[in-house]
């Protein structure tokens, strides 16, 4: 553990710390952020009524639209001269959202990133190949400083130029790779193309996040790269990567949320009412310790559940795997659908390479989904189509046809929706170049 004292702090002490930080935070934002002062005054919230972390439900939510309305620096609690770094989101929809840090905030960022890397298996003295993007995205720089803080050496490769990344993995032999799960798959498939394997590199741990991924993808990455793959979660508004992390020896049981800095809640996506541990809803965070731009009850739009795991020595709460973002949820003929539900189905088939895309269209008034999924090279060789195949082969080749029908039935049985399934030859669906991969092409709005 990077910080054993805090990571194993008894819950009673953790609650006391959170309460002190919350009371301090609420008083600070009321005095320094006009947005919060107005909101408190309008909603009749008396700052002095917030006495402990148990009062957090009395506070209003902060939403992404509020950040856009206060663009760029409306949420600052310190003068701009005290800032040490500014990041912002890509702003594909409307204005970008800005997040700013003081030196103290950057220390917190490095601390939680270091804790996360250590929980993911990284140790001082190891080398880390960092393929998260450097720049306005918090992934690259955030993980970089965390690794240095932990005592690792960092190879700051960033995204793209997969050829060069493979050379560096072979030559420098880093034990740890940090990247999106889809990029880890790209690296694995490029290794295979070059007739290289996990024994030509020296990776032991892969710390993967920034986009949803499933157990199927984990299995694929672990076997192709020879790593223990763990989940790292975070978002710029809260700090960046390292809000939560899965432990390498507790895989599949959720990711520890570093609760001394980020207080998590799960609320109902329609009413905002708090939900009990174990129930799925929208994840909301209060940044208890952040200085420059703290947020009260920030509505992440991410869907998951929270629960304590009393069987381990770390005391902080765990968040389950993200189902997706509330705004990524497709509504198909009235049925709610996350692309990860389809991805889970692919786990049952060794015949498939788990690279896929969902294309949604409207025919007349009816939503249609086409599931495009790649077949594995081994399967193609087995059915005599080792050099690949075209759309026509799908109806001509009995193995491809049987596979298509089986998948259609399985999807209909499991998610209750009929979808068109198109098997694609390996390497025909766009792969990750390192950034976040979009699995959904929704053409209904265009
Ligand atoms: O993605 C920070 C990050 C960088 C996390 C590197 C992990 C590794 P944003 O660009 O602000 O920040 O995007 C945040 O990405 O609200 C989730 O919807 C999604 N996301 C992040 N981590 C995961 C994950 C970075 N492990 C948004 N699983 C979040 C699923 C994730 N989704």
């Amino acid at each position: 553990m990077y910080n054993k004292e805090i990571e194993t702090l008894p819950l009673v002490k953790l609650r006391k710390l959170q309460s002190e930080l919350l009371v301090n935070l609420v008083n600070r934002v009321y005095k320094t952020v006009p947005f919060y002062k107005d909101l408190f005054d309008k909603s009749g919230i008396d700052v002095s009524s917030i006495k402990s972390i148990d009062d957090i439900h009395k506070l209003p939510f902060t939403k992404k639209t509020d950040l856009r309305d206060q663009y760029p620096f409306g949420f600052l609690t310190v003068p701009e001269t005290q800032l040490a770094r500014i990041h912002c989101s890509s702003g594909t929809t409307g204005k970008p959202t800005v997040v700013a840090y003081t030196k103290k905030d950057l220390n917190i960022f490095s601390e939680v990133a270091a804790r996360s890397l250590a929980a993911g298996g990284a140790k001082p003295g190891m080398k880390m190949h960092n393929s998260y993007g450097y720049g306005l995205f918090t992934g690259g720089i955030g993980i970089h400083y965390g690794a240095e803080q932990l005592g690792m050496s960092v190879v700051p490769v960033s995204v793209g130029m997969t050829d060069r990344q493979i050379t560096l993995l072979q030559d420098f032999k880093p034990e740890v790779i940090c990247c999106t799960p889809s990029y880890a798959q790209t690296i694995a498939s490029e290794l295979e193309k070059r007739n290289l394997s996990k024994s030509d590199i020296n990776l032991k741990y892969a710390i993967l996040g920034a986009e949803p991924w499933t157990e199927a993808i984990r299995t694929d990455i672990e076997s192709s790269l020879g790593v223990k793959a763990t989940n790292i979660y975070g978002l710029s508004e809260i700090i960046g990567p390292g809000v939560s992390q899965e432990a390498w020896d507790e895989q599949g049981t959720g990711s520890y949320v570093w609760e001394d800095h980020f207080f998590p809640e799960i609320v109902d996506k329609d009413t905002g009412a708090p939900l009990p541990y174990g129930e799925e809803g929208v994840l909301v965070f209060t940044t208890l310790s952040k200085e420059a731009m703290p947020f009260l009850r920030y509505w992440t739009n991410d869907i998951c559940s929270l629960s304590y795991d009393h069987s381990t020595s770390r005391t902080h709460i765990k968040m389950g795997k993200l189902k997706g973002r509330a705004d990524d949820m497709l509504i198909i003929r009235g049925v709610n659908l996350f692309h990860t539900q389809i991805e889970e189905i692919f786990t049952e088939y060794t015949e498939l390479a788990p690279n896929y895309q969902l294309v949604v269209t409207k025919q007349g008034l009816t939503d249609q989904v086409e599931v495009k999924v790649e077949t594995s090279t081994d399967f193609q060789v087995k059915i005599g189509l080792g050099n690949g195949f075209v759309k026509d082969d799908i109806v001509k080749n009995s193995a491809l046809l049987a596979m298509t029908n089986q998948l259609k039935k399985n999807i209909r049985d499991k998610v209750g929706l009929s979808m068109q399934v198109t098997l694609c030859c390996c390497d025909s669906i766009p792969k990750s170049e390192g950034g976040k991969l979009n699995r959904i092409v929704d053409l209904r709005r265009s």
Side-chain angles (χ1 to χ4, degrees):
M1 280 183 221
Y2 176 72
N3 188 340
K4 192 164 181 200
E5 190 189 339
I6 285 289
E7 291 176 51
T8 60
L9 197 67
L11 270 187
V12 179
K13 288 193 177 163
L14 197 53
R15 290 287 174 264
K16 189 165 175 280
L17 174 66
Q18 290 167 333
S19 294
E20 284 164 14
L21 290 169
L22 182 69
V23 172
N24 187 313
L25 171 69
V26 168
N27 281 284
R28 192 154 52 87
V29 296
Y30 185 77
K31 283 191 206 120
T32 52
V33 183
F35 168 85
Y36 280 127
K37 182 176 186 317
D38 287 354
L39 198 58
F40 277 39
D41 291 348
K42 272 191 207 131
S43 344
I45 300 165
D46 177 2
V47 170
S48 64
S49 73
I50 309 297
K51 295 194 168 68
S52 87
I53 198 73
D54 297 333
D55 296 319
I56 200 156
H57 306 132
K58 296 179 187 166
L59 296 172
F61 293 113
T62 310
K63 298 219 167 159
K64 190 141 191 145
T65 46
D66 299 323
L67 270 65
R68 296 218 169 100
D69 293 345
Q70 299 301 314
Y71 177 86
F73 297 129
F75 273 100
L76 280 189
T77 69
V78 297
E80 284 173 43
T81 48
Q82 282 182 28
L83 296 182
R85 198 193 298 161
I86 300 164
H87 281 281
C88 66
S89 73
S90 56
T92 41
T93 48
K95 275 185 186 151
T97 44
V98 175
V99 285
Y101 307 75
T102 60
K103 276 234 159 64
K104 184 181 157 221
D105 294 332
L106 292 180
N107 289 338
I108 295 171
F109 196 176
S110 299
E111 152 87 24
V112 294
R115 272 189 220 175
S116 300
L117 292 169
K123 291 182 190 61
M126 286 183 172
K127 294 188 212 76
M128 191 251 267
H129 183 97
N130 189 9
S131 312
Y132 283 119
Y134 281 67
L136 289 174
F137 176 55
T138 51
I141 298 186
I143 297 259
H144 181 115
Y145 282 109
E148 287 188 354
Q149 173 103 356
L150 180 61
M152 306 178 76
S153 58
V154 187
V155 188
V157 268
S158 194
V159 293
M161 291 189 284
T162 308
D163 254 336
R164 193 166 72 172
Q165 303 226 9
I166 289 186
T167 308
L168 295 178
L169 285 168
Q170 280 181 275
D171 295 348
F172 295 176
K173 301 250 182 312
E175 295 90 344
V176 182
I177 185 166
C178 291
C179 60
T180 57
S182 53
Y183 195 58
Q185 287 185 294
T186 299
I187 290 182
S189 94
E190 291 298 316
L191 276 177
E192 197 184 327
K193 269 193 208 154
R194 289 165 180 68
N195 282 325
L196 296 169
S197 74
K198 53 190 171 193
S199 54
D200 295 293
I201 53 176
N202 184 42
L203 288 175
K204 305 268 183 293
Y205 300 99
I207 297 172
L208 312 172
E211 63 187 18
W213 56 304
T214 56
E215 288 304 319
I217 303 246
R218 191 201 310 259
T219 310
D220 182 50
I221 294 169
E222 291 198 333
S223 69
S224 54
L225 294 183
V227 291
K228 276 266 175 201
T230 55
N231 185 48
I232 184 162
Y233 165 86
L235 62 165
S236 328
E237 294 87 333
I238 302 308
I239 202 130
V243 171
S244 80
Q245 168 71 40
E246 185 180 28
W248 70 271
D249 48 355
E250 296 167 28
Q251 284 177 308
T253 62
S255 304
Y256 287 106
V257 178
W258 306 122
E259 269 196 79
D260 52 323
H261 292 296
F262 320 116
F263 186 78
E265 296 170 78
I266 294 289
V267 301
D268 183 280
K269 76 174 176 28
D270 299 316
T271 64
L275 294 176
Y277 296 142
E279 273 192 39
E280 219 158 61
V282 175
L283 182 60
V284 167
F285 282 109
T286 298
T287 58
L288 294 174
S289 55
K290 226 165 61 163
E291 203 171 51
M293 219 183 237
F295 294 119
L296 300 178
R297 306 190 84 202
Y298 183 72
W299 187 280
T300 65
N301 241 344
D302 291 330
I303 308 281
C304 71
S305 62
L306 292 169
S307 54
Y308 282 101
D309 180 350
H310 297 294
S311 68
T312 65
S313 47
R314 286 188 182 89
T315 48
H316 297 223
I317 203 160
K318 284 178 169 176
M319 57 183 264
K321 212 160 222 172
L322 238 65
K323 235 186 164 171
R325 295 178 58 77
D327 47 12
D328 276 353
M329 191 179 73
L330 290 165
I331 302 181
I332 307 293
R333 291 170 241 141
V335 177
N336 296 349
L337 176 76
F338 286 102
H339 64 86
T340 45
Q341 286 173 272
I342 304 292
E343 194 172 305
E344 287 293 351
I345 295 175
F346 299 149
T347 9
E348 299 163 31
Y349 299 90
T350 50
E351 295 90 341
L352 301 176
N355 194 28
Y356 70 97
Q357 214 171 44
L358 303 190
V359 184
V360 190
T361 51
K362 215 167 186 87
Q363 281 169 22
L365 290 175
T366 315
D367 303 316
Q368 302 289 348
V369 183
E370 181 187 9
V371 179
K372 292 180 164 181
V373 57
E374 287 181 7
T375 49
S376 69
T377 332
D378 286 353
F379 177 59
Q380 287 172 209
V381 171
K382 197 171 148 198
I383 62 171
L385 295 169
N387 293 328
F389 57 89
V390 290
K391 226 171 176 172
D392 274 358
D393 292 324
I394 302 172
V395 278
K396 285 193 215 137
N397 184 294
S398 58
L400 287 180
L401 193 59
M403 184 74 208
T404 307
N405 290 333
Q406 220 188 82
L407 264 174
K408 267 191 201 163
K409 179 173 181 314
N410 208 343
I411 292 173
R412 200 175 47 240
D413 291 350
K414 299 245 164 72
V415 300
L417 284 166
S418 296
M419 297 184 194
Q420 186 192 331
V421 170
T422 308
L423 294 181
C424 303
C425 144
C426 58
D427 290 337
S428 58
I429 296 174
K431 284 201 173 59
S432 166
E433 290 291 319
K436 294 176 195 248
L437 186 64
N438 200 357
R439 301 279 192 186
I440 300 166
V441 182
D442 194 343
L443 302 172
R444 286 176 298 183
R445 288 170 227 129
S446 53

